[in-house]
Amino acid sequence: MRRESVERGDIFVISAPSGSGKTTICRELLSRVEGLSLSVSCTTRERRQGEKDGVDYYFMDEVKFGKIADSNEFLESASVYGRRYGTSRRAVEAIVSKGLDAVLEIDVQGGASVKAAVPEAVLVGILPPDWETLRKRLFARGRDDREEIERRLAAAQREIRELGRYDYLVVNDDLETAVRQVEWIVRARRLRRERTTGVIGRILGRGGEEKDGSSNG
Ligand code: 5GP
């Protein structure tokens, strides 16, 4: 498939309450859609089993995080479940300046900050089909203890309400359908961008106006 060359990529923010399948959807999306790159966030939370520094997150202590925040190097940062998370401006810039689209898997507060800083960023919210399913998924994955799950459910109430402000909402009932819908959003956005970038100029070329017989009456 032809892809028009793009000077700067777009930012896609993907947010969801914990247990909505966001991480799986993002992984699938990146494996299916060319020209996407995941922005790796910084966090002060401890590393979980199997996670790699520099791949899943840049893991750091409060002091280092604070220094980065103070020097205004975060495009956005937020506290989630008592831990700090932030998106590095430089990391996002490195992606979009290559003409790739950046995927930011961040929370709703982060999404709102990105939209304020970069209004053309596309905000995509992933929702569980219903509340009961969300509860069940959080218990079934067996990663967190009951207290942590209750904390995540309380946060989910707030997050779901705030996702109402997002540009797009995708309900993750069937995983394959949800992945395909997020893929459509990315591809539709690219078609929109290509209206205003390369395609018209490429077709008309430099002599476009001369070929247009109506231009001189
Ligand atoms: P977890 O600790 O489970 O990996 O992530 C907890 C929450 O923090 C998730 O909603 C995740 O999307 C969000 N998150 C991860 N990185 C960032 C970030 O850089 N900024 C913000 N605002 N949220 C983040």
Side-chain angles (χ1 to χ4, degrees), residues 16 22 41 45 48 57 76 78 80-81 85-87 105-107 110 143 152:
K22 173 184 55 172
S41 295
R45 85 143 158 78
R48 295 191 191 114
Y57 283 104
E76 64 75 34
V80 186
Y81 315 122
Y85 294 82
T87 306
E105 202 188 315
I106 63 177
D107 87 317
R143 195 184 70 191
R152 284 177 185 251

Side-chain angles (χ1 to χ4, degrees), residues 4 194-204:
E4 299 296 331
E194 282 156 13
R195 277 172 71 224
T196 53
T197 53
V199 66
I200 290 173
R202 180 178 57 75
I203 293 167
L204 295 179

Side-chain angles (χ1 to χ4, degrees), residues 44-68:
T44 62
R45 85 143 158 78
E46 59 293 341
R47 187 160 15 145
R48 295 191 191 114
Q49 212 178 4
E51 285 183 332
K52 288 202 185 80
D53 188 39
V55 176
D56 299 284
Y57 283 104
Y58 294 105
F59 295 96
M60 57 187 65
D61 60 19
E62 283 282 348
V63 176
K64 184 163 181 200
F65 192 99
K67 273 193 193 144
I68 299 176

